[in-house]
Amino acid sequence: MRISVTINDKMVHLDVEFDEFLADALRKHGFFSIRKGCDTSCCGLCTVWVDGRPTLSCSVLAFRVDGKTITTIEGVQQEAEQFAQILAAEGAEQCGFCSPGFIMTVLAMKKELTQPTEEQIIHYLTGNLCRCTGYMGQLRAVKMYLGGTA
Amino acid sequence: MFTIKELAQPDTLTEAYNLLIAKKNNAVLGGCAFLRMGSYPIATAVDLTKLNLSFIREADDYIEIGAMTTFREIEVSPILQQYANGVLPKAVSHVLGVQFRSVVTVGASVYAKYGFSDLITALLALNAEIELVQGGRMRLAEFLEKPLTKDILSRIWIRKLECRASYQTLRMSASDYPLLNAAVTQTGSHWLVAVGARPRKAAIAQQLSAALSASKIDLEQLDFFANIASEELSFGTNARGTAQYRRAMCKVLIKRAIKEVLMCESV
Ligand SMILES: Cc1cc2nc3c(=O)[nH]c(=O)nc-3n(C[C@H](O)[C@H](O)[C@H](O)COP(=O)(O)OP(=O)(O)OC[C@H]3O[C@@H](n4cnc5c(N)ncnc54)[C@H](O)[C@@H]3O)c2cc1C
Ligand code: FES
Ligand code: FES
């Protein structure tokens, strides 16, 4: 089946199987920032934006994004780099495998919530697992990125 | 992982239903988060996206929710946040992360009658009704008692009343399945208490609901009321907890919920 999607502001036509998930379709198309950590909808590593909303690309059938807008971390490079630098400075990135998905969720949160409380931040980021850092460094980095102090 | 041989995108619910029942291994696609955990070979996948079932609408007497509405849409809906102390948004907000809740759908979640469901418990306490294409409209409580038949759940109705509500859940960690959950509503003098993840599917605590509805409740009596639910309902054991633990925790959740309802403003 042929679908047309706007990926990072560029219209793309993809040939996808009915049972192919978006994460696989995007990786096939060269978007290797998309990672699969669990493939059971639990870890958030595969997060991309579909029409601006953070979504698990491992769990959305590719044909369903026909006509929609997809944003991967390649599409928000500048903001992603800015936040990634803070993450690294806070020691909140070790192997880095979880980072693309985590960053996409943090950037979505920034667009959606105005001055979120610590509780709101933690709640919003519950779906992003990290097996290295223990989350406190990430929380510090997020707070700094959002303009406060850690 | 499941496989799909053919894909159908019907234009009407009747067409969708006829496609579904045409073959034993035809299946409806919800958000696919649960389907993908299995290895079911689907002959024809019936995709409902062309049927405009993604909506939350408010009429004078009812709130209507379409089957393809996602948990995230429930969570951020101003209509639902303002109704019954936002009990539905609160219930679904515990389910994994935002990006997961943008995927999973209401229709699949209710139709599948998952024992661990957060949504079903809250809907039960709101005395919601559901509509099946073939089975017609009925109360959710009635649907949960019926054997599962091949059908399509198209929408859910919640009657709009002056209702106060509370949702409580116990989880081993933030994004885990619930070990137990409970929802309590008070509409005038009428109380409704539902308990889920027992780990069996949610049920109404009939005796407790009747006892609360017949009494003038004060905070001193909470232990007495909480005991009624923990005695009348059955509980089971699974990897997350024993029946005994669930029974004990049921009292705690019910007490918290009744207390919260007594203290909150009606909306
Ligand atoms: C890892 C994981 C963790 C979860 N944790 C929780 C939790 O903590 N709390 C909670 O409440 N839920 C939880 N769930 C369940 C989740 O919230 C959804 O209820 C579940 O994924 C089904 O929704 P779906 O849209 O993904 O359905 P699908 O996977 O698409 O479908 C599930 C079943 O319903 C059928 N179906 C789909 N739509 C309809 C319809 N409209 N009418 C009739 N049949 C239909 C499908 O054919 C299939 O048999 C979890 C699920 C997963 C995968
Ligand atoms: S790979 Fe998608 S949630 Fe883990
Ligand atoms: S830095 Fe290694 S998983 Fe997060």
Side-chain angles (χ1 to χ4, degrees):
Chain A
M1 176 178 187
R2 173 153 280 222
I3 60 166
S4 304
V5 268
T6 306
I7 307 178
N8 302 333
D9 293 329
K10 219 168 119 192
M11 173 65 91
V12 176
H13 305 285
L14 302 177
D15 289 311
V16 299
E17 305 292 335
F18 297 143
D19 47 17
E20 185 172 353
F21 283 91
L22 180 59
D24 300 310
L26 288 172
R27 281 186 67 87
K28 235 164 60 182
H29 205 74
F31 292 96
F32 297 117
S33 67
I34 289 131
R35 284 144 193 197
K36 289 203 279 184
C38 65
D39 215 8
T40 54
S41 318
C42 297
C43 72
L45 258 67
C46 62
T47 304
V48 299
W49 298 348
V50 177
D51 287 345
R53 275 181 232 117
T55 304
L56 296 180
S57 61
C58 75
S59 302
V60 173
L61 284 168
F63 79 79
R64 280 198 164 152
V65 301
D66 190 21
K68 300 198 181 207
T69 302
I70 309 292
T71 311
T72 69
I73 201 163
E74 290 88 346
V76 284
Q77 208 170 341
Q78 216 181 343
E79 300 97 301
E81 269 175 19
Q82 195 193 345
F83 176 55
Q85 274 169 13
I86 305 176
L87 260 186
E90 286 304 313
E93 187 175 63
Q94 289 180 26
C95 76
F97 198 63
C98 65
S99 296
F102 180 66
I103 292 172
M104 289 308 283
T105 314
V106 170
L107 299 188
M109 177 175 69
K110 189 173 183 232
K111 283 194 302 167
E112 201 176 321
L113 306 181
T114 321
Q115 295 187 312
T117 60
E118 181 170 316
E119 199 185 343
Q120 285 174 313
I121 294 172
I122 292 172
H123 183 71
Y124 202 98
L125 300 174
T126 304
N128 285 88
L129 301 185
C130 170
R131 282 292 170 253
C132 298
T133 64
Y135 303 110
M136 292 318 290
Q138 292 184 338
L139 185 59
R140 277 197 310 273
V142 170
K143 285 188 190 168
M144 278 183 184
Y145 178 61
L146 297 180
T149 47
Chain B
M1 194 75 75
F2 70 93
T3 53
I4 298 175
K5 207 162 161 207
E6 297 294 334
L7 176 72
Q9 296 185 297
D11 294 314
T12 66
L13 273 167
T14 313
E15 200 188 322
Y17 175 75
N18 289 333
L19 281 161
L20 174 66
I21 58 163
K23 224 170 172 189
K24 199 166 162 253
N25 55 345
N26 290 357
V28 180
L29 304 178
C32 295
F34 222 84
L35 266 176
R36 72 192 296 277
M37 308 260 278
S39 49
Y40 192 58
I42 299 175
T44 300
V46 184
D47 176 42
L48 308 179
T49 43
K50 285 197 174 158
L51 299 178
N52 298 324
L53 291 173
S54 253
F55 60 81
I56 299 168
R57 287 187 204 128
E58 190 176 23
D60 285 348
D61 298 340
Y62 281 96
I63 295 170
E64 202 184 337
I65 306 173
M68 291 302 284
T69 306
T70 65
F71 278 22
R72 185 69 182 149
E73 285 160 344
I74 297 256
E75 189 183 2
V76 299
S77 156
I79 296 173
L80 293 174
Q81 280 172 350
Q82 278 157 32
Y83 183 66
N85 309 104
V87 69
L88 281 183
K90 275 183 199 156
V92 298
S93 73
H94 297 281
V95 181
L96 280 170
V98 276
Q99 54 281 71
F100 179 79
R101 298 195 290 277
S102 293
V103 173
V104 291
T105 59
V106 165
S109 302
V110 175
Y111 175 81
K113 305 182 186 178
Y114 301 116
F116 53 75
S117 176
D118 288 287
L119 179 67
I120 290 178
T121 304
L123 284 171
L124 256 186
L126 289 170
N127 200 12
E129 289 175 66
I130 58 126
E131 182 184 71
L132 299 169
V133 175
Q134 180 65 16
R137 185 166 165 168
M138 67 189 87
R139 284 181 59 222
L140 171 62
E142 187 188 337
F143 170 68
L144 292 176
E145 291 306 316
K146 285 180 183 266
L148 207 57
T149 54
K150 228 173 177 188
D151 210 331
I152 298 174
L153 195 150
S154 55
R155 56 194 132 167
I156 293 169
W157 283 275
I158 298 158
R159 190 188 262 248
K160 266 170 61 188
L161 299 162
E162 283 287 310
C163 178
R164 302 197 285 188
S166 168
Y167 184 79
Q168 302 290 329
T169 173
L170 178 65
R171 294 169 133 83
M172 290 169 82
S173 66
S175 58
D176 195 12
Y177 290 100
L179 193 148
L180 194 71
N181 57 38
V184 172
T185 58
Q186 183 198 14
T187 312
S189 62
H190 186 71
W191 288 74
L192 211 45
V193 179
V195 181
R198 302 174 296 122
R200 285 182 274 277
K201 67 185 172 221
I204 291 177
Q206 302 285 2
Q207 289 171 28
L208 173 59
S209 303
L212 288 166
S213 304
S215 327
K216 180 145 181 31
I217 306 139
D218 70 57
L219 293 175
E220 303 294 306
Q221 298 167 296
L222 290 186
D223 281 317
F224 165 77
F225 286 117
N227 273 335
I228 300 179
S230 80
E231 292 305 322
E232 73 172 293
L233 293 170
S234 60
F235 296 91
T237 296
N238 69 1
R240 286 182 174 72
T242 62
Q244 200 185 4
Y245 183 58
R246 284 192 161 92
R247 194 176 294 285
M249 288 302 108
C250 176
K251 291 184 207 171
V252 178
L253 295 194
I254 298 263
K255 259 167 55 177
R256 281 184 195 158
I258 297 175
K259 198 168 169 186
E260 195 173 285
V261 166
L262 288 173
M263 296 171 91
C264 63
E265 299 286 322
S266 82
V267 202

